[in-house]
Amino acid sequence: MHNFLTNNREELILRCKSKVAQRPRRAATEQQLANGIPLFLGQLIRTLAAEEADKPAEGIRISGPAGGDLPALSEMGVSATAHGKELLKLGYTVDQVVHDYGDLCQAITDLAFERDAPFAVAEFRTLNRCLDNAIADAVTEFSFQRDTQIARQQSHDANERFGFLVHELRNSLGTATLAIHALELGGMTVGGATGAVLKRSLSAMGNLISRAVAEVRSGLPEQRQTFSVNSFIHEAETAAQLVASAAGCVFEVPPVDALLAIRGNREMLLAALANLLQNAFKFTHPDTEVVLKAYLLDEHVLIDVEDHCGGLPPGSAARMFSPFNQRSHDKSGLGLGLSIARQSIEADFGTLAVRDVPGTGCVFTIRLPRHALP
């Protein structure tokens, strides 16, 4: 058999490539598949040659014993694991890993039948042993790498969800603390506007905890509603005014059309807007202004947050919404605010974008479909 395989090596490789090309999602380059069939075929030929020369130990070293029971991988096992790892990177499934080696077995059988090439039973046993060991090693490595990849992604997702909860709780707690401080300084009662900010902040913390409990139990319930943009902006303004005063900047909010309405998770969208405002207060230059405005454009409601940060560094806009990305030397935050804001807005079929105004500042724009008030 080893002479037959040597003489027909290129033909067998071409037949395998043809079979591979007929299956979907197999656009790998020849270099990426170098640890696959061509390398396996060479190792199979050398194994058969070693056994024909009565050197079974050499054959075992190259391709491993039946069942693959070796303390270390054989030469064939090393290349098979590399092949399995490469196929995972290319996005293939475990059945496609198995098919790669099955193609060669079928190509050898078909060509031998066409050319009436007889093989000994022992040679077929060697062929099956090599295929079995290579498939096992490739699939084992593929599965290990895939499980590791899934575990890493799950850990990343859990970390991001936990970061979201911590970030939003801290924002609400910060607003509540400012409200209490203002109440104490002014000797005011909790029945006024500042008291309302305190109550909303406490309510927001309660809602965040309730959402976390619901997610742990059975997933998040539907919480979308249609609401007035005017009241939404007014609520954001009341809470943000405390932060603006603490930051020492001017906060302007032009009047909003009373007929404008949007639909979504009001609490999450309010938290997203609060993140944008806190970001603006953090980066705008002293004694400048931050502007919050809402208006209608092409059947969409746009909400702008304009600051006077001086403009964005080159290339920073593309990275700005990435999780754990921090723009300043102040590392007290988690770098999640803008990422959380975009996720919350996109969950309600909206978009969040940033526009640089060189030398002046930047404008964050929330864009949501317009809805009619009930």
Side-chain angles (χ1 to χ4, degrees):
M1 182 184 285
H2 87 271
N3 287 329
F4 173 82
L5 297 180
T6 301
N7 295 333
N8 296 283
R9 185 177 185 277
E10 297 305 319
E11 172 66 19
L12 290 170
I13 292 174
L14 286 175
R15 291 194 178 202
C16 288
K17 286 182 178 179
S18 176
K19 293 178 184 295
V20 166
Q22 294 172 19
R23 292 199 296 272
R25 297 183 62 192
R26 288 308 303 265
T29 65
E30 196 166 319
Q31 183 179 4
Q32 287 171 320
L33 298 180
N35 291 316
I37 295 307
L39 186 55
F40 172 83
L41 187 55
Q43 292 164 340
L44 173 61
I45 292 171
R46 288 165 49 217
T47 299
L48 289 165
E51 292 186 353
E52 187 173 314
D54 198 21
K55 297 178 180 178
E58 176 65 9
I60 296 298
R61 185 193 67 78
I62 297 170
S63 56
D69 188 16
L70 271 181
L73 286 174
S74 64
E75 181 182 323
M76 184 176 287
V78 171
S79 58
T81 57
H83 185 55
K85 186 175 182 179
E86 193 66 42
L87 292 184
L88 177 65
K89 290 180 182 178
L90 295 168
Y92 298 152
T93 60
V94 68
D95 63 302
Q96 289 172 317
V97 178
V98 175
H99 283 152
D100 268 12
Y101 294 99
D103 288 339
L104 179 60
C105 183
Q106 186 177 351
I108 292 173
T109 304
D110 290 346
L111 189 60
F113 178 79
E114 292 169 14
R115 301 191 178 175
D116 194 24
F119 297 143
V121 173
E123 292 175 321
F124 267 115
R125 286 176 179 165
T126 299
L127 171 62
N128 289 332
R129 187 190 84 228
C130 290
L131 285 169
D132 184 45
N133 287 347
I135 291 172
D137 290 331
V139 169
T140 297
E141 181 66 16
F142 180 94
S143 300
F144 170 76
Q145 294 292 337
R146 180 193 58 194
D147 292 346
T148 301
Q149 192 178 81
I150 291 172
R152 284 175 180 166
Q153 185 60 46
Q154 289 175 337
S155 176
H156 173 78
D157 293 344
N159 191 44
E160 211 169 284
R161 286 196 299 272
F162 180 70
F164 167 83
L165 178 63
V166 171
H167 184 278
E168 294 304 299
L169 282 173
R170 191 176 69 169
N171 279 354
S172 296
L173 179 61
T175 302
T177 303
L178 286 173
I180 291 174
H181 186 59
L183 289 171
E184 290 175 340
L185 286 178
M188 298 178 287
T189 67
V190 294
T194 304
V197 171
L198 173 60
K199 293 172 185 177
R200 281 196 295 268
S201 297
L202 294 174
S203 175
M205 285 190 277
N207 288 335
L208 285 166
I209 294 171
S210 296
R211 283 174 58 85
V213 172
E215 184 176 359
V216 170
R217 286 178 176 170
S218 59
L220 296 176
E222 173 64 36
Q223 294 180 313
R224 304 183 76 235
Q225 58 180 300
T226 302
F227 53 89
S228 163
V229 176
N230 184 40
S231 65
F232 176 75
I233 294 297
H234 179 67
E235 185 173 340
E237 176 189 3
T238 306
Q241 192 65 60
L242 292 171
V243 184
S245 299
C249 66
V250 178
F251 184 37
E252 297 289 341
V253 185
V256 179
D257 185 345
L259 296 179
L260 289 183
I262 53 179
R263 180 172 176 77
N265 186 318
R266 196 177 194 279
E267 291 297 324
M268 298 300 289
L269 289 175
L270 189 61
L273 180 55
N275 274 320
L276 297 182
L277 288 168
Q278 288 188 5
N279 186 74
F281 296 138
K282 181 177 180 179
F283 288 100
T284 200
H285 292 164
D287 302 319
T288 61
E289 66 177 11
V290 170
V291 180
L292 168 63
K293 59 183 178 181
Y295 53 97
L296 181 66
L297 181 66
D298 299 330
E299 291 305 309
H300 282 81
V301 173
L302 273 62
I303 301 173
D304 288 347
V305 176
E306 304 176 7
D307 65 32
H308 284 77
C309 65
L312 300 176
S316 65
R319 303 187 303 271
M320 192 168 289
F321 299 101
S322 300
F324 305 106
N325 179 47
Q326 294 177 306
R327 294 167 52 199
S328 73
H329 297 297
D330 179 1
K331 304 300 182 183
S332 59
L334 296 173
L336 284 171
L338 295 179
S339 174
I340 291 170
R342 172 173 274 186
Q343 289 178 29
S344 299
I345 293 163
E346 290 179 346
D348 283 318
F349 311 104
T351 60
L352 174 60
V354 62
R355 175 168 55 88
D356 183 28
V357 184
T360 301
C362 59
V363 182
F364 287 89
T365 299
I366 299 172
R367 183 185 181 95
L368 289 160
R370 179 189 186 183
H371 284 264
L373 284 172

